[in-house]
Amino acid sequence: MSHNFRHWPIITILTIVSLPLIIMFAFQIIDTFTTHPIDSMIPNKVTFEQFSFLWDEAETGRANIWQVTLNTFIFATTTAVVVCTVSMTTAYALSRLNFPGRRYFLGGLIILHAFPTVTLIIAIFLILQIIGLYDTLLGVIMVKAALELPFGIWIMKGFYDNVPWEIEMAGVQDGASRFTVWWKLVLPQVQPGIFALMIFSFLSGWSEFLLPQVLAPGNDAQVLSTYMTALIADDTKIDFALFKAVGMFYALPVIAIYLIFQKKLMNIYGGGTKG
Amino acid sequence: MQITLQNFTKKFDDVTVIENMNLEIKDGEMLALLGPSGCGKSTTLFAICGIHRVNGGKILFGDQDVSDLPSQKRNVGVVFQSYALYPHMNAYENIAFPLKVRKDKPADIKRQVHEIAKLTHIEELLERKPGQLSGGQQQRVALARALIRKPDVLLLDEPLANLDAKLRLEMRSEIRRIQLETGITAILVTHDQVEAMSMCDRIALMHDGKIVQLDKPSEMYNNPANKFVADFLGNPPITFLDAEHKDKTLLLPNGHSIASPNLNAAVKKVQVGIRPECFGPQFGMGVKGVVKFIEKQGREELFDIQLTDGSILRSIQASGSDLEVGADIDWGLSLDDLLFFDMQGERL
Ligand SMILES: Nc1ncnc2c1ncn2[C@@H]1O[C@H](COP(=O)(O)OP(=O)(O)OP(=O)(O)O)[C@@H](O)[C@H]1O
Ligand SMILES: [Mg+2]
C-alpha cells in the first residue's frame, strides 16, 4: 500500500497533464460509433454507418479504401524491410571494418539524420520525374527508405558496437567464415535491435504523409494519409464523420502494434545484448 | 604438436611491439607466457592463432609454416579471458559449433560433444545457456569448445582472471588435468606468477616484447637471469641492497659484511637480492634493525625490517613470534641463497 502512496502525486500530475489527450481520444472513439443531434454533443444512437466506406462502393473520383490500405501496407512493409536489410549490413561494416573514409561516412550519417526532409523535396521530385518514378509507389518507397536509413544504420551500429569482439574471434577460431560468423553468431545478438528497427520503420512508413503527398499525388499510389487529406480537401462536401472514421481505421494498426510489441520496442533505447 | 616462433616480429602501425622473438614450445608441453601488463603476451598469442598477421619471421606448427594461413585454416583452440561463449546457444550448441561448421555428421557431433563434456565434467549442464552458468562452469564449456576439434595447440589467454580465489585454485588444477589427459600442447598467458609456476612445465618470462628467460618454474625462481626476473617472481617480492665489493667481501650499506669468494673482483658495486625467506633469526645474527610493519597472513607473518642505515628488508616467518612493531631485532642471512646482480641488473 505504501508503495502506491509514494507514487500518487506523480500519478495525479501525469493524469492531469494527459487528460486533454485522453478526452480527445475517448471522444474520437465514441464519436465514430455514434450519431448525435445537430445542436448537441451528447450522442443519442450507436451506429456503424460511418464505417460504411469500408464495404460500400467508393464514390467516383475517390480511390478504393482497400486499395489504399494495401498501398499503405506495401509502402510501410517494403520500407521497413529495405531499411532493416541495408542497416543490418552497413552498420556491421561501420562497426567492425576499418575502411578508408569511415569517419566521414559516420559524420555524414549524423548530418543526414538531422537534415530536414522538406528542403530536399524539390530535388527529389525532379530526380524522380527524370527517372520516371514520379507518382509511383516504388519511387516513394525508395525515397522514404533512403531517408530512414541514416537513423537505422546509426541505431544498428550502436547494437553491433555492444557485441564483444571476442565472440567473433572465437567464431573465426572455430573455423567459421566471416560471413557465417556474422550470420550465425553476431546477428542473433543484435536481433532485438533489428526487430525494434523493423517496427519503427514500419510505423514511420505507415504514418508518412509528406513524401506520398508530393511525390505520388495520383489515385493509384495513394496511401491512407493522403487519402484522408483528399477527404477534407474536397471542400464541396466535407464529411467530418467519415474523416474521423477513416482516421480511426488508420490509427488501429499503430495502436495494435504498440500494444503487442511495446516491450521489444523498449530495446531500441536499452540497446544491448540479452543473453 | 611442436610450435616454433622464428624471428617473430609484430608492429602496430609504426610501433614495434615484438621484435625478433624466438620461442619453441615442445610437443605436449604446457608453457606459460608470463609478464607484466602490456609486454606483448596477448599479441604473441593472437599471432599464433592467426588473429594478428605477423610483420616478420615465421610461425611453424610442426614443420608447416602457418604464418600466412588464416585463423580458420589453423587448427588452434582458444579460451578467451571472457570465455566468449555464444550467448544465444546452449552449452551443447556452443561446444558443437566448431564441428557443425566443419559439417561433421550429426551422430558424430553428438558422440564427440558428450565425450568432451565428460572430460570437462559438464555433462549435466549441456542444456543450459551461458547466462545460466557460473563463471567456473562457463570456463569449462569454453575449454570444451576449444578442445573439441582436437587442436594442434590450445591457447589460454588469462583464463582464470575472472574467477574468484577459490574457483581459481580449482580451475588451475582442472585445466592442468585436462591438458595432461589430452596430451595437448598448450600456451597459457598470464600475469600471475603463481598460476604460471603451478600449472606449467616451463615459463617464458616476457618484458617489453622480449623473452628474458625461458626455464622450468623452480629453476627460474632459484636462478633468475637478471634483476627483472628475480623481482618479478616471488611473492612477497625480493628486496635489493647496494653493496661495495672489495677483497672478496661485500660490504652492505648497514655495515654488515659477507664473504663473496666467487664474485669477479673487477666488479666494484653489486646489488644483493635477498628473498624474504632468506632473512630471519634461523640464519644467525649480524643484521640489526627495527620492525617497521607486520602483516599477519595466517600461517605466516611478513615483517618489514628497517636496517640501521634506513634501507628496508623483508622477512617471512611462520606465525607465532611475539615481536611487535618497534622491536629491535638482530637476525642473519642465508648466505647460499643470496642473488648478486651488477648495476645494470645482470646476474653475476
Ligand atoms: N590493436 C593494437 N593497436 C595498437 N597497439 C596495440 C594493439 N594491441 C596491443 N597493442 C600494444 O601492444 C602492446 C602489447 O599488448 P598486449 O595486449 O600484447 O599486452 P599483454 O601482455 O597481453 O598485456 P595484458 O596483461 O594487459 O593483457 C601494448 O603496449 C599495447 O598498447
Ligand atoms: Mg593481454
Side-chain angles (χ1 to χ4, degrees):
Chain A
M1 240 19 232
S2 66
H3 186 74
N4 278 344
F5 270 118
R6 254 182 289 125
H7 287 300
W8 72 260
I10 301 174
I11 293 175
T12 321
I13 293 172
L14 287 180
T15 314
I16 293 171
V17 175
S18 22
L19 211 56
L21 270 178
I22 296 173
I23 294 176
M24 268 159 56
F25 273 124
F27 190 66
Q28 155 95 3
I29 294 169
I30 296 168
D31 214 31
T32 45
F33 290 104
T34 57
T35 57
H36 54 79
I38 292 171
D39 54 353
S40 154
M41 295 281 277
I42 314 296
N44 57 359
K45 189 160 147 278
V46 174
T47 174
F48 291 101
E49 179 105 0
Q50 282 137 5
F51 281 92
S52 66
F53 70 94
L54 289 179
W55 46 84
D56 283 356
E57 194 68 19
E59 282 178 47
T60 41
R62 194 177 286 166
N64 176 290
I65 181 75
W66 293 112
Q67 182 58 48
V68 175
T69 311
L70 181 66
N71 279 353
T72 321
F73 187 75
I74 295 175
F75 175 63
T77 316
T78 323
T79 307
V81 170
V82 172
V83 169
C84 280
T85 331
V86 179
S87 307
M88 242 157 68
T89 43
T90 316
Y92 182 68
L94 279 173
S95 169
R96 292 303 204 234
L97 306 180
N98 200 1
F99 53 87
R102 175 174 177 274
R103 278 192 41 200
Y104 301 100
F105 202 109
L106 284 175
L109 272 185
I110 304 185
I111 294 175
L112 273 180
H113 179 38
F115 212 82
T117 320
V118 217
T119 51
L120 293 173
I121 203 111
I122 297 190
I124 294 175
F125 173 83
L126 290 175
I127 294 171
L128 283 190
Q129 277 216 317
I130 292 168
I131 59 176
L133 288 177
Y134 175 70
D135 208 5
T136 62
L137 206 51
L138 180 63
V140 204
I141 289 173
M142 281 173 51
V143 175
K144 176 68 182 166
L147 291 171
E148 282 289 307
L149 270 179
F151 170 74
I153 295 173
W154 196 254
I155 289 283
M156 286 314 298
K157 181 183 171 294
F159 273 85
Y160 280 124
D161 286 347
N162 274 333
V163 179
W165 262 108
E166 294 189 334
I167 287 194
E168 285 177 68
M169 293 196 214
V172 169
Q173 280 323 312
D174 285 346
S177 65
R178 280 309 290 264
F179 181 80
T180 312
V181 167
W182 175 68
W183 184 251
K184 288 252 175 81
L185 302 181
V186 179
L187 269 192
Q189 318 301 320
V190 299
Q191 184 234 330
I194 298 174
F195 191 83
L197 182 60
M198 184 75 117
I199 292 174
F200 266 105
S201 23
F202 179 87
L203 290 177
S204 166
W206 187 263
S207 56
E208 178 64 40
F209 166 66
L210 186 67
L211 293 176
Q213 174 76 2
V214 179
L215 303 176
N219 268 355
D220 288 343
Q222 208 164 39
V223 292
L224 280 168
S225 58
T226 50
Y227 179 84
M228 283 183 68
T229 350
L231 282 183
I232 34 173
D234 189 2
D235 47 23
T236 46
K237 44 177 191 326
I238 296 178
D239 186 346
F240 273 115
L242 175 62
F243 185 72
K244 273 186 247 172
V246 175
M248 199 63 214
F249 176 71
Y250 182 34
L252 273 181
V254 179
I255 296 169
I257 287 178
Y258 266 112
L259 286 183
I260 300 171
F261 297 120
Q262 50 173 323
K263 268 229 187 77
K264 298 221 168 188
L265 285 177
M266 286 311 189
N267 258 318
I268 207 161
Y269 301 110
T273 48
K274 297 260 158 67
Chain B
M1 185 167 296
Q2 172 172 319
I3 311 294
T4 315
L5 304 186
Q6 285 177 356
N7 296 321
F8 159 58
T9 300
K10 177 69 200 170
K11 297 182 185 139
F12 289 111
D13 300 322
D14 296 334
V15 188
T16 308
V17 175
I18 290 170
E19 201 168 0
N20 290 329
M21 180 200 254
N22 287 293
L23 179 62
E24 205 179 281
I25 301 120
K26 294 182 203 138
D27 186 28
E29 149 179 82
M30 183 144 175
L31 179 106
L33 275 183
L34 178 66
S37 190
C39 69
K41 305 180 297 281
S42 302
T43 308
T44 310
L45 202 74
F46 288 153
I48 295 175
C49 66
I51 288 170
H52 288 334
R53 315 241 118 223
V54 303
N55 298 105
K58 277 190 205 164
I59 296 175
L60 304 176
F61 285 13
D63 299 327
Q64 191 198 3
D65 183 356
V66 298
S67 315
D68 295 322
L69 283 184
S71 290
Q72 289 96 334
K73 295 245 169 73
R74 304 186 192 184
N75 194 7
V76 174
V78 185
V79 175
F80 293 89
Q81 178 175 341
S82 63
Y83 315 137
L85 295 177
Y86 311 132
H88 58 293
M89 299 181 181
N90 66 24
Y92 180 93
E93 292 163 325
N94 262 283
I95 301 171
F97 185 76
L99 300 182
K100 281 222 179 87
V101 169
R102 205 167 66 179
K103 303 211 162 57
D104 280 15
K105 287 202 212 79
D108 270 356
I109 295 182
K110 196 164 171 209
R111 184 180 47 76
Q112 293 191 52
V113 172
H114 281 104
E115 254 169 44
I116 204 92
K118 202 165 154 197
L119 176 74
T120 47
H121 300 329
I122 47 171
E123 289 151 293
E124 306 81 41
L125 307 172
L126 288 177
E127 298 301 315
R128 299 222 206 140
K129 294 260 176 82
Q132 303 163 314
L133 296 171
S134 73
Q137 293 168 335
Q138 290 187 30
Q139 168 99 73
R140 286 168 190 270
V141 175
L143 209 57
R145 186 182 65 187
L147 286 171
I148 190 122
R149 278 195 310 171
K150 308 217 164 31
D152 295 334
V153 56
L154 175 68
L155 307 180
L156 305 138
D157 190 3
E158 312 228 0
L160 304 176
N162 289 349
L163 300 177
D164 65 45
K166 190 145 173 279
L167 257 181
R168 206 174 296 169
L169 213 67
E170 176 189 328
M171 286 315 290
R172 223 147 72 184
S173 50
E174 273 298 279
I175 292 178
R176 180 61 165 167
R177 172 185 68 81
I178 292 165
Q179 187 263 333
L180 288 174
E181 255 173 64
T182 50
I184 192 171
T185 312
I187 303 177
L188 171 83
V189 159
T190 176
H191 55 239
D192 181 350
Q193 44 164 318
V194 183
E195 235 168 83
M197 296 222 240
S198 61
M199 290 169 75
C200 296
D201 299 307
R202 287 194 301 162
I203 299 176
L205 187 60
M206 290 183 67
H207 182 44
D208 282 344
K210 289 186 196 61
I211 294 182
V212 245
Q213 190 170 357
L214 174 64
D215 236 324
K216 293 206 178 73
S218 54
E219 191 59 17
M220 193 173 268
Y221 184 80
N222 296 327
N223 254 327
N226 59 28
K227 192 181 166 191
F228 173 80
V229 180
D231 202 14
F232 195 85
L233 289 185
N235 185 24
I238 193 168
T239 41
F240 295 95
L241 294 179
D242 291 345
E244 305 281 345
H245 186 215
K246 219 191 301 177
D247 307 333
K248 298 255 176 243
T249 46
L250 280 168
L251 188 63
L252 296 181
N254 66 339
H256 185 70
S257 59
I258 41 185
S260 57
N262 300 327
L263 282 184
N264 181 349
V267 187
K268 294 293 173 223
K269 282 186 170 267
V270 173
Q271 303 185 68
V272 183
I274 304 167
R275 293 205 187 272
E277 66 269 23
C278 301
F279 175 49
Q282 68 270 41
F283 303 116
M285 298 203 291
V287 183
K288 293 193 175 69
V290 179
V291 178
K292 274 286 156 197
F293 181 72
I294 305 177
E295 188 182 306
K296 299 202 188 290
Q297 297 179 337
R299 200 154 24 87
E300 282 156 345
E301 280 170 6
L302 178 66
F303 297 92
D304 283 6
I305 308 289
Q306 187 168 40
L307 305 187
T308 42
D309 67 306
S311 48
I312 301 271
L313 278 188
R314 266 183 225 113
S315 166
I316 194 158
Q317 280 154 41
S319 293
S321 79
D322 45 10
L323 284 176
E324 290 190 10
V325 174
D328 290 322
I329 56 99
D330 187 358
W331 290 348
L333 296 169
S334 163
L335 295 179
D336 293 342
D337 298 319
L338 300 184
L339 301 165
F340 305 114
F341 304 92
D342 65 16
M343 295 318 278
Q344 282 71 49
E346 289 308 314
R347 182 83 183 275
L348 290 172

